[in-house]
Amino acid sequence: MWRSFAEHLHFVATADDAGYEELRRTLDQLDFALGTHANRLFYLATPPAAYEAIVKAIGEHRLRGETGWARIVVEKPFGHDRSSALELNEVVHTVFREDEVFRIDHYLGKETVQNILVMRFSNGIFEPIWNRQYVDHVQITVAETIGVEERAGYYEQAGAMRDIVQNHLLQLLALVSMEPPAAFDDKAVRDEKVKVLRALRRMTGEDLAMNAVRGQYTRGFIEGVPVPGYREEPGVAPDSRTETYVALKVWVDNWRWEGIPFYVRTGKRLPKHSTEIAIQFRVAPHQLFSREALAGLEPNALVLRIQPDEGISLRFGAKVPVQGIRIRAVNMDFDYGASFMVDAPDAYETLILDALRGDATLFTRHDEVDQQWTFVDPIISGWAQSPQGLALYEAGTWGPTEADALIERDGRKWRKA
Ligand code: BG6
């Protein structure tokens, strides 16, 4: 199968006008030879700085074809801030209509991320308690053990805020906090996500100083192996102030979530590779049991394990089987691997197929990207004004102590993800 597929792969280098002309000729010849109808999916997996020029070239060299459909997939980050995202959007819209633009955020292609909507909206039992009456707070963690790897050129400009928070993390937050869409289609789902993204309280001044922490890893150990600090990585400036860790306390200012904090964090070179969303519930309103009996009880939590070890668990208290009452936290566990016994498709497989089919439900619309930048821009510019606010953390630890203080101030703790 691969051999016959590979015969249809062609490579054309398109660095200049002559290259784009050659690409057009190649595409036209293929249409003619194979009797295809010029359906074209352009996929920009290039440095973001090249996006505008490529889109313009697609337009100028009439690469869209005339008889079929044309779509463009654009990798993140879409823009460097809100204004550059708007500008890029305008350029893209000179060649492609919005319904032909597929802004990719590969987290949306992950099975477990799609399952957030399935879990919330195909079941009757979760939605009634999914609100300020029953939820105490929500924690979202995107923890990585890897460092910056060979991507310093990109990462130095991006930092964890643009690399993870602006896209993956805010998408997870949107999916977990959005209102139920009326249908499972690209318009209804994305309309609801935009609404909730718009409800995120903007952070400035005092709020920013209290509720946003950024850090950078220094040398340390990952699984017992020594690793260099961020500033010692190849391609990183020795005095770099780029953040490799972010923790935020986020408020969703709407009816459902009023007063319920969302604590979110992401970092590189943390002790564990783990992405999870934990919904922590309020404690029982009245306690029958003695303080000693309750010593082993932890707050009820529903944990969506996005990766690895994909699954969902519900933590609650159970009676320890001894004389008298002793209570301990136990987990009721759903495990993807054990339940379905199939390997989930890779996020990119799902998304590329969706783009070929023209289904944009799992891609971000321009107004979502716009709201995401609207939320992160003031944080990034606030930080730029106080460069001394970058906290350091040793590789292999759970981030700077300032991040612990951010949540412990509220009498809560980060989960051991
Ligand atoms: C990418 C970021 O979008 O997501 C990387 O640019 C990050 O820095 C990666 O490592 C994480 O993706 P995943 O699928 O491994 O969680």
Side-chain angles (χ1 to χ4, degrees):
M1 282 173 79
W2 167 252
R3 241 177 280 125
S4 67
F5 180 71
E7 283 166 17
H8 297 280
L9 300 177
H10 301 266
F11 175 78
V12 180
T14 58
D16 52 17
D17 282 346
Y20 283 108
E21 278 304 305
E22 194 191 334
L23 178 59
R24 188 172 56 80
R25 272 195 306 275
T26 307
L27 290 171
D28 289 347
Q29 277 161 12
L30 286 171
D31 280 332
F32 182 73
L34 301 169
T36 47
H37 296 280
N39 291 336
R40 286 172 192 174
L41 180 74
F42 298 90
Y43 192 119
L44 305 193
T46 68
Y51 292 166
E52 288 193 19
I54 296 173
V55 172
K56 284 181 186 155
I58 291 173
E60 281 160 17
H61 294 275
R62 293 177 292 112
L63 291 174
R64 285 186 55 127
E66 266 135 41
T67 48
W69 51 253
R71 297 178 193 133
I72 187 162
V73 180
V74 188
E75 269 290 346
K76 62 147 263 253
F78 194 89
H80 190 69
D81 54 16
R82 180 165 186 251
S83 65
S84 57
L86 286 171
E87 189 190 307
L88 175 59
N89 215 34
E90 271 178 30
V91 172
V92 170
H93 282 166
T94 58
V95 183
F96 296 92
R97 294 190 314 265
E98 177 60 23
D99 66 328
E100 295 172 328
V101 185
F102 289 69
R103 295 172 196 79
I104 208 161
D105 181 320
H106 78 281
Y107 266 55
L108 295 178
K110 291 180 190 278
E111 282 293 311
T112 43
V113 173
Q114 296 175 59
N115 194 44
I116 299 172
L117 293 186
V118 172
M119 197 202 85
R120 287 189 60 194
F121 303 130
S122 74
N123 296 297
I125 59 173
F126 298 114
E127 215 38 34
I129 56 169
W130 211 265
N131 56 51
R132 63 187 301 279
Q133 250 110 43
Y134 298 95
V135 174
D136 177 78
H137 72 275
V138 178
Q139 291 189 24
I140 305 180
T141 302
V142 180
E144 296 186 282
T145 52
I146 55 170
V148 65
E149 303 191 293
E150 270 81 58
R151 302 161 70 221
Y154 152 75
Y155 200 85
E156 276 281 87
Q157 305 304 315
M161 196 60 159
R162 292 187 176 92
D163 187 46
I164 300 276
V165 178
Q166 189 270 345
N167 34 77
H168 307 326
L169 217 152
L170 288 184
Q171 283 292 323
L172 294 178
L173 175 56
L175 291 171
V176 87
S177 61
M178 68 196 261
E179 295 300 315
F184 187 61
D185 62 38
D186 59 344
K187 178 159 187 345
V189 170
R190 298 191 296 180
D191 282 352
E192 291 305 334
K193 279 199 285 169
V194 172
K195 265 198 240 167
V196 81
L197 288 168
R198 206 173 280 140
L200 300 183
R201 192 182 301 170
R202 311 301 173 213
M203 276 194 214
T204 47
E206 179 77 350
D207 198 22
L208 177 61
M210 292 294 284
N211 296 327
V213 170
R214 67 202 198 272
Q216 189 189 72
Y217 62 84
T218 58
R219 63 173 73 163
F221 291 85
I222 296 285
E223 287 166 4
V225 179
V227 294
Y230 179 71
R231 291 177 190 172
E232 300 161 323
E233 302 271 18
V236 172
D239 57 352
S240 168
R241 308 209 67 84
T242 300
E243 79 284 354
T244 60
Y245 177 98
V246 173
L248 305 173
K249 177 174 161 185
V250 181
W251 297 102
V252 181
D253 284 333
N254 65 14
W255 191 283
R256 182 189 287 259
W257 296 116
E258 181 57 36
I260 306 304
F262 285 70
Y263 301 96
V264 305
R265 60 180 167 162
T266 183
K268 293 210 181 277
R269 289 289 189 223
L270 300 185
K272 210 173 147 191
H273 174 216
S274 164
T275 300
E276 62 157 52
I277 301 172
I279 320 289
Q280 190 160 312
F281 294 93
R282 290 183 189 276
V283 294
H286 170 67
Q287 269 305 351
L288 315 181
F289 306 105
S290 68
R291 194 184 285 230
E292 297 75 58
L294 289 167
L297 181 65
E298 291 168 39
N300 298 150
L302 185 72
V303 181
L304 317 185
R305 294 191 308 273
I306 304 296
Q307 65 183 27
D309 186 21
E310 291 79 0
I312 297 177
S313 60
L314 179 65
R315 184 177 66 194
F316 55 93
K319 183 180 178 310
V320 182
V322 293
Q323 290 292 338
I325 304 279
R326 282 272 173 283
I327 298 169
R328 215 186 67 199
V330 295
N331 283 321
M332 202 154 75
D333 212 31
F334 152 64
D335 179 87
Y336 257 86
S339 298
F340 293 118
M341 312 280 273
V342 289
D343 284 337
D346 179 78
Y348 276 101
E349 287 177 66
T350 301
L351 294 174
I352 292 172
L353 190 58
D354 279 1
L356 287 167
R357 286 178 173 147
D359 181 351
T361 312
L362 301 178
F363 292 80
T364 44
R365 207 168 56 192
H366 74 91
D367 45 354
E368 284 178 84
V369 174
D370 188 51
Q371 285 305 315
Q372 291 171 183
W373 283 122
T374 304
F375 177 74
V376 304
D377 270 3
I379 306 178
I380 294 174
S381 53
W383 282 349
Q385 283 157 25
S386 61
Q388 70 288 0
L390 178 78
L392 300 177
Y393 63 99
E394 206 176 298
T397 66
W398 278 107
T401 49
E402 286 81 347
D404 294 332
L406 177 150
I407 188 166
E408 286 169 11
R409 214 178 284 139
D410 297 342
R412 301 183 176 110
K413 269 189 171 325
W414 291 113
R415 284 173 43 81
K416 296 262 167 290

